[in-house]
Amino acid sequence: MSAAAATAGAVVEGYASLFGRVDMGRDRVAPGAFRRSLARRGAGGVKLLWQHDPGRPIGRWTEISEDGVGLRVRGRLLPEVAQGREALALIRAGALDGLSIGFRTVRARREPTTGVRELVEIDLWEISLVTFPQMPGARLALAGSQTPATRVALAGSQMPAARFALAGSQMPAARFALAGVAAGRTGRFSLSTQ
């Protein structure tokens, strides 16, 4: 099978960030936080990466917009890139469905009682396909698929695992992600990730 045939229909969509929800790094994105960055960069200026690795672009975002739920995205995996084909196979198998944003904080405020950092303005650089998203509800699926995870993510509701993790659990995925945050390892470059 050719690379092009292998990735036919390799359009992915989902939410890369959810407004008003606290992630595992204790950040909460405010509605409108991406507005200026999206106006300046557009969807084509935001990179689609594999696991936040700037040396591994795997596709191109074609649509990025804010709605009442969060940052909705749609993009295409590139059939000419081996990692793009591998990502597609993992998505089809249900082994990969996480999204995570790479950004620079422009404006934020910290809530003194909770320690939660509210991100008011974000300079969005990239959105990655990831195994363990910092925001458990940030999920993707193949466009048009109707898996339970897709319906939950696209409806903007929290999955039970996300509620569990956000309630301060120490499930293995949460421990793994929080260990990286505590050690200051949020990616291969010094951007905050969600």
Side-chain angles (χ1 to χ4, degrees), residues 134 174-187:
Q134 187 89 320
R175 282 196 307 271
F176 178 80
L178 291 174
V181 171
R185 295 185 307 268
T186 57

Side-chain angles (χ1 to χ4, degrees), residues 29-179:
V29 178
F34 300 98
R35 186 176 300 126
R36 286 186 182 170
S37 184
L38 292 177
R40 188 173 54 256
R41 291 186 199 280
V46 177
K47 302 305 179 194
L48 194 168
L49 301 179
W50 175 253
Q51 306 282 355
H52 294 295
D53 185 341
R56 294 175 83 184
I58 59 170
R60 187 157 197 265
W61 294 114
T62 57
E63 299 173 32
I64 303 176
S65 62
E66 290 188 331
D67 64 16
V69 174
L71 188 65
R72 187 172 173 90
V73 298
R74 184 178 178 93
R76 178 173 298 281
L77 299 176
L78 293 176
E80 300 84 4
V81 177
Q83 189 64 64
R85 291 189 303 275
E86 290 174 24
L88 178 59
L90 292 167
I91 293 166
R92 284 183 174 153
L96 180 74
D97 66 353
L99 286 172
S100 183
I101 59 176
F103 62 94
R104 180 181 64 84
T105 302
V106 176
R107 256 183 333 128
R109 57 181 165 251
R110 188 155 315 266
E111 294 179 4
T113 56
T114 64
V116 169
R117 181 174 70 151
E118 183 174 30
L119 301 169
V120 178
E121 186 177 347
I122 290 173
D123 183 16
L124 182 64
W125 290 14
E126 58 96 1
I127 302 169
S128 286
L129 275 61
V130 297
T131 309
F132 300 109
Q134 187 89 320
M135 169 65 68
R139 300 294 172 176
L140 72 97
L142 292 175
S145 71
Q146 288 299 310
T147 66
T150 306
R151 285 193 302 272
V152 169
L154 295 181
S157 64
Q158 290 179 325
M159 301 184 298
R163 285 195 304 271
F164 188 67
L166 292 175
S169 77
Q170 288 298 303
M171 57 190 226
R175 282 196 307 271
F176 178 80
L178 291 174

